[in-house]
Amino acid sequence: MPADAPRPSSLLPSVEQLLASAHVVSLPMRVKFRGITRREVLLLDGPLGWGEFCPFPEYDDAEASRWLASAVEAGWQGFPPPVRTVIPVNATVPAVAADRVPEVLARFGRVDAVKVKVAERGQTLDDDAARVAAVRSALPDAAIRVDANGGWDVPAAVEALSRLSAVGLEYAEQPVPDIAGLAEVRRRLREAGTPVLIAADESVRKESDPLKVARAGAADLIVVKVAPLGGVRRALDIVAQAGLPAVVSSALDTSVGIRAGLALAASLPELPYACGLGTVSLFESDITLDPLVADDGAIRVRDAAADAGLLERYAAAPDRRDWWLDRLRRVHAVLAPSTAP
């Protein structure tokens, strides 16, 4: 078992229990996001609630084990007690053409913060600038943050953020792929007097040591996602050790996954930024009759239960169900050794 993998309790359900509780769905997206138009998700019906296991297909079993630990926590352990019950959230604008920005924003209702995807492969800085400008035009007073998913190198990031900062940016998320690059972008922007904070996402959740970015002084804040970090409790521990402000975000989850994100946001001692937990609005349909979507810029903490009719309607094709169940078996085997005496 990898040293960085989460270590679930000795009450980790057997693989047979997980398989018996599993439902695999394929949900259509309103717009292409992360290069996909359908999101496949494996849901687990646990005794304490629903859990979500949906690592992206390219993730290996060791990385996916954190997602399974998170799903088990939700369904078999439950969440820590909250310190707040209303969570502010941002809207998310994918890498769409600028003229589609009003259409995307309309699905979120009133919001005070917007995350805009930039550095999409095949697009240009002009495309990014037009998209960000369209958001600013639609929401003159909103906080705007951009997310490059590590899509730039250092010179391109400095050029892009210098230009995009003209509209006023709250922060830039993962402008370059690696920690050394983040530190260099942050240094160059400060030297140039460009007022853009740097947030680390992939450099937290995909690193073997999620605290490395904080120790390197490479970011002003960190983005934390429950599933990729192994659950709410592990994410809380990482935030506490990092000593940096945290933004809670999602990994393109259904309402079941968003529920875990809300549990983290509700449990953090401080919540200085709106959370990236509004992505259910990017789905054409969710798997619950009471979706966890923002109302007046916030989501009230509540449970999310999958609906039997929606599970049936959006059930994945048999070959895809088999693919996910096989993946569940393999990933469970990664976690299981940690429960041995």
Side-chain angles (χ1 to χ4, degrees), residues 108-188:
F108 291 91
R110 191 196 70 78
V111 292
D112 296 318
V114 182
K115 179 163 78 172
V116 185
K117 292 291 184 177
V118 293
E120 182 86 351
R121 185 171 304 211
Q123 296 188 5
T124 68
L125 179 54
D126 286 342
D127 296 322
D128 293 338
R131 187 180 311 114
V132 171
V135 172
R136 175 56 73 213
S137 177
L139 298 170
D141 300 320
I144 297 178
R145 51 191 70 165
V146 296
D147 182 6
N149 289 118
W152 292 314
D153 59 20
V154 169
V158 172
E159 177 190 2
L161 296 177
S162 297
R163 179 173 173 184
L164 298 177
S165 67
V167 304
L169 296 181
E170 186 178 35
Y171 61 78
E173 185 174 327
Q174 202 69 42
V176 295
D178 60 284
I179 291 174
L182 287 179
E184 180 66 10
V185 169
R186 186 169 178 253
R187 182 186 68 79
R188 291 193 191 185

Side-chain angles (χ1 to χ4, degrees), residues 91-110:
T92 300
V93 175
V96 297
D99 61 5
R100 293 195 63 190
V101 165
E103 165 201 341
V104 173
L105 289 176
R107 301 186 192 118
F108 291 91
R110 191 196 70 78

Side-chain angles (χ1 to χ4, degrees), residues 180-247:
L182 287 179
E184 180 66 10
V185 169
R186 186 169 178 253
R187 182 186 68 79
R188 291 193 191 185
L189 291 175
R190 286 190 168 191
E191 288 180 353
T194 304
V196 179
L197 300 178
I198 299 299
D201 175 12
E202 286 87 348
S203 289
V204 175
R205 62 182 170 87
K206 293 181 76 69
E207 283 285 329
S208 59
D209 178 1
L211 299 174
K212 185 176 179 181
V213 69
R215 286 197 296 267
D220 300 286
L221 57 144
I222 58 174
V223 177
V224 287
K225 298 178 179 179
V226 171
L229 291 176
V232 173
R233 289 170 178 82
R234 187 167 186 262
L236 285 170
D237 183 57
I238 288 169
V239 173
Q241 292 187 61
L244 292 174
V247 181

Side-chain angles (χ1 to χ4, degrees), residues 62-108:
E63 186 170 359
S65 71
R66 295 192 285 269
W67 299 62
L68 183 55
S70 176
V72 168
E73 178 189 54
W76 279 262
Q77 186 178 2
F79 300 121
V83 299
R84 63 186 63 82
T85 58
V86 177
I87 309 301
V89 298
N90 65 252
T92 300
V93 175
V96 297
D99 61 5
R100 293 195 63 190
V101 165
E103 165 201 341
V104 173
L105 289 176
R107 301 186 192 118
F108 291 91

